[in-house]
Amino acid sequence: MGCHSEKHDADNHPCSGEKAFLSRTAEEIDRIYSEEFDKLRNELIDQGIDVTQGEGLKTFVRAVRKLNERFR
């Protein structure tokens, strides 16, 4: 998907606003995901679950998969 504009001045390009918007949106999604991931991990740890090995790790992985589904 390329731009079909005749105007390719970097500062005034018709697509520059859209690209900036998409970039800010992606950054915001990443920030929210990171916060949710940390919150999830900390909640499990606070429940006494060892998220680094064994059944605790399996529980953590399942929870992260559910989190990822929310961000598709």
Side-chain angles (χ1 to χ4, degrees):
M1 181 168 137
C3 177
H4 300 292
S5 174
E6 297 293 324
K7 192 173 184 180
H8 287 282
D9 177 1
D11 293 330
N12 296 317
H13 193 275
C15 295
S16 63
E18 181 180 355
K19 288 179 183 179
F21 172 77
L22 292 174
S23 178
R24 285 190 310 272
T25 301
E27 289 172 3
E28 181 68 6
I29 291 169
D30 288 346
R31 184 191 63 76
I32 293 168
Y33 178 86
S34 181
E35 287 177 1
E36 290 295 317
F37 180 89
D38 290 342
K39 180 180 170 186
L40 172 64
R41 185 185 64 232
N42 290 334
E43 286 175 357
L44 291 174
I45 290 170
D46 289 347
Q47 293 174 26
I49 297 172
D50 180 358
V51 298
T52 63
Q53 59 186 348
E55 288 301 314
L57 177 59
K58 289 178 184 178
T59 299
F60 181 53
V61 168
R62 284 191 293 270
V64 170
R65 287 178 179 159
K66 287 181 183 178
L67 177 65
N68 291 343
E69 285 294 319
R70 291 178 32 210
F71 280 86
R72 279 194 182 187

